[in-house]
Amino acid sequence: MSASESMPQSFQQSDFRPSPDNKPIPLDVARARIVEAITPIDELERVPLHAGLQRVLGTAVVSDINVPGADNSSMDGYGYAAGDLGADGDTLEIVGESLAGHPYGGELAAGQCVRIMTGAVVPDGVDTVVMQENTRVEGDRLVVEQRPKPGSNIRAAGEDIATGATVLAAGCYLRAADIAVLASVGVHEIDVVRRPRVAFFSTGDELRPIDGPIQPGEIYDSNRHGLAALLAELGMDGVDLGVVGDSPEALRAAFDKARGCDAVVTSGGVSVGAADFVVDVLGEQGTVDFWRVAIKPGKPLAFGTLGDARFFGLPGNPVSTAVTFVQLVRPALVRMAGGHPAVPIRLDLPTLADLRKSPGRENFLRARLVTTDDGRLAVDPIDHQGSGVMRSMSAADCFIVLPAAQHDVPAGEMVTVEPFAQTIWGHPE
Ligand code: AMP
Ligand code: MG
């Protein structure tokens, strides 16, 4: 049975392939359309602070307190009123000490000072702290050998966070530092956005599970495991629907199971081959917003809806699956999770090897950042760039991004480089 024979009328290309000349759309257009089409999840969960790590903050946190709570010393030293040190040779009487957690109880009279430790409350009457290293003690008197500017070494109450200030905005992706900041204002529970539920499956009659043997012509279903890991890295709630055969019936059954999720990510079966039914069944069961994107690897990519779920049909070639996930699905899921997709960090670096490129599609070559013998940063492309060579992805730590119109690039030329280890979660506006 050929693809066209198996398709009812609703499968016709004109239904879901909007561009009249069927031209793949540029990546930035595809990304903008996808991110725009996403509605962030607005269901919140109240969790203990520690469970908020790598979640998206659902409600802004406003501080009830000043941090620090009182003026305090940023040095181990002596506190005094700067006006009390007049002429050279003036000394101060040491009348007590202020330690962190043990403030000085008394009041300072003119010409007096206290020993003060880092974090200790600055007593009334003190406006300056001199670091210990710049003083000398003679009996109960302090000689200030090097006078700091008046007001030095005092952290003002509320200097870090003032009462009423927004500590973190809704939409923040919480990292360790954010957890510490929230703890510093005495927050022990927070609202986080419910994690997106993302159904995923791979398609292909040739695919076999990784815990059994394979026959000639069969391959291990590596993409599903790669997708599961990519989703886990993003903190998504992945729903593994297994391997689905190359038939409209099998796909319909899988689509039914995926419907209740927030997003669906599939691998394979989105191209124009005789066994590629994903786009057709999506057109039948849901909607196809667009189908082809002008990138290499990864041209066939279907974006649409399946019930309330957003649908991402990724190509089956493993590098294409990974590249399209990173470039298109990941920002969309970040948005869906209530976060803000970060603008990718891009560097201009010289390539160490010639790059082959024919004009037409934006290319994402796999490469490594290297430091040359003369100490400069450069980029070294991986030898094998085939879209089936997943080792190229595994060995790489960055993409070389070549614009659509680019031709071959000789070694030594500057190219645009997008490191993998970059910010994924941007800051709320
Ligand atoms: P497709 O996009 O279905 O035409 O598949 C393109 C290529 O990717 C074919 O060589 C497939 O065998 C391979 N492929 C498809 N799905 C997977 C998968 N889950 N794991 C590894 N390779 C795959
Ligand atoms: Mg296939």
Side-chain angles (χ1 to χ4, degrees):
M1 181 170 67
S2 78
S4 55
E5 277 164 4
S6 70
M7 292 180 198
Q9 202 59 30
S10 64
F11 280 175
Q12 281 184 1
Q13 290 203 346
S14 55
D15 279 358
F16 51 81
R17 296 176 191 182
S19 151
D21 54 357
N22 211 3
K23 241 174 114 179
I25 60 174
L27 173 65
D28 53 347
V29 174
R31 191 190 283 127
R33 278 175 62 175
I34 289 177
V35 173
E36 256 168 43
I38 299 293
T39 310
I41 290 173
D42 59 5
E43 290 162 51
L44 304 183
E45 296 167 3
R46 191 118 183 114
V47 298
L49 179 62
H50 67 85
L53 186 65
Q54 294 172 352
R55 302 287 304 263
V56 175
L57 189 64
T59 314
V61 173
V62 172
S63 180
D64 289 339
I65 59 165
N66 274 326
V67 179
D71 292 358
N72 70 95
S73 177
S74 65
M75 289 283 171
D76 292 332
Y78 292 87
Y80 57 93
D84 289 355
L85 280 182
D88 280 353
D90 281 0
T91 62
L92 299 162
E93 182 193 1
I94 305 168
V95 293
E97 56 184 14
S98 182
L99 306 183
H102 305 279
Y104 177 69
E107 275 179 32
L108 287 194
Q112 295 184 331
C113 70
V114 287
R115 179 129 202 258
I116 191 163
M117 300 300 147
T118 304
V121 171
V122 172
D124 285 345
V126 169
D127 61 19
T128 302
V129 171
V130 57
M131 62 197 286
Q132 193 166 300
E133 292 85 334
N134 293 341
T135 64
R136 195 174 75 241
V137 175
E138 289 178 354
D140 67 349
R141 300 210 63 90
L142 181 75
V143 181
V144 179
E145 294 180 318
Q146 248 179 284
R147 294 185 186 182
K149 280 200 202 123
S152 290
N153 303 321
I154 292 179
R155 303 189 283 218
E159 173 183 293
D160 193 358
I161 300 166
T163 304
T166 299
V167 183
L168 292 175
C172 256
Y173 176 75
L174 298 173
R175 300 158 308 146
D178 303 312
I179 299 293
V181 168
L182 292 172
S184 79
V185 296
V187 165
H188 69 284
E189 277 187 343
I190 51 173
D191 292 326
V192 293
V193 181
R194 173 176 69 74
R195 288 191 161 107
R197 294 186 72 224
V198 183
F200 62 101
F201 59 84
S202 48
T203 70
D205 287 344
E206 75 281 30
L207 303 178
R208 290 292 170 270
I210 56 175
D211 58 355
I214 43 173
Q215 306 302 322
E218 298 175 343
I219 59 171
Y220 285 121
D221 174 18
S222 59
N223 283 349
R224 192 160 47 88
H225 298 278
L227 281 176
L230 283 164
L231 291 169
E233 265 180 359
L234 272 185
M236 302 290 148
D237 184 3
V239 180
D240 187 349
L241 297 179
V243 182
V244 176
D246 284 320
S247 76
E249 298 71 32
L251 285 168
R252 283 189 196 109
F255 280 27
D256 276 348
K257 287 188 210 156
R259 255 172 209 283
C261 290
D262 301 297
V264 185
V265 182
T266 68
S267 119
V270 285
S271 196
V272 292
D276 293 337
F277 297 114
V278 171
V279 184
D280 309 310
V281 176
L282 181 61
E284 177 199 72
Q285 306 276 308
T287 62
V288 181
D289 285 27
F290 60 81
W291 173 52
R292 299 205 301 167
V293 181
I295 59 169
K296 184 182 175 186
K299 181 166 66 172
L301 176 143
F303 174 63
T305 57
L306 180 65
D308 289 337
R310 288 290 161 185
F311 188 98
F312 304 88
L314 308 186
N317 269 312
V319 182
S320 307
T321 314
V323 169
T324 50
F325 185 95
V326 167
Q327 293 298 328
L328 290 164
V329 183
R330 194 164 72 182
L333 294 179
V334 165
R335 189 80 200 104
M336 186 175 281
H340 299 262
V343 176
I345 293 163
R346 290 194 163 179
L347 313 167
D348 283 335
L349 296 175
T351 172
L352 292 187
D354 296 343
L355 304 173
R356 302 276 306 279
K357 168 81 171 66
S358 41
R361 293 188 269 162
E362 194 171 351
N363 272 25
F364 287 78
L365 304 176
R366 279 74 64 209
R368 269 192 185 152
L369 295 168
V370 290
T371 306
T372 57
D373 290 342
D374 58 357
R376 289 168 203 270
L377 200 57
V379 66
D380 192 14
I382 308 286
D383 287 344
H384 298 289
Q385 292 285 340
S387 61
V389 184
M390 195 54 183
R391 241 174 5 84
S392 70
M393 216 36 217
S394 165
D397 57 19
C398 63
F399 289 126
I400 295 174
V401 186
L402 299 178
Q406 179 77 53
H407 290 76
D408 288 352
V409 182
E413 291 272 297
M414 299 297 273
V415 289
T416 300
V417 174
E418 195 175 289
F420 290 171
Q422 60 175 283
T423 310
I424 295 168
W425 300 80
H427 290 279
E429 264 82 81

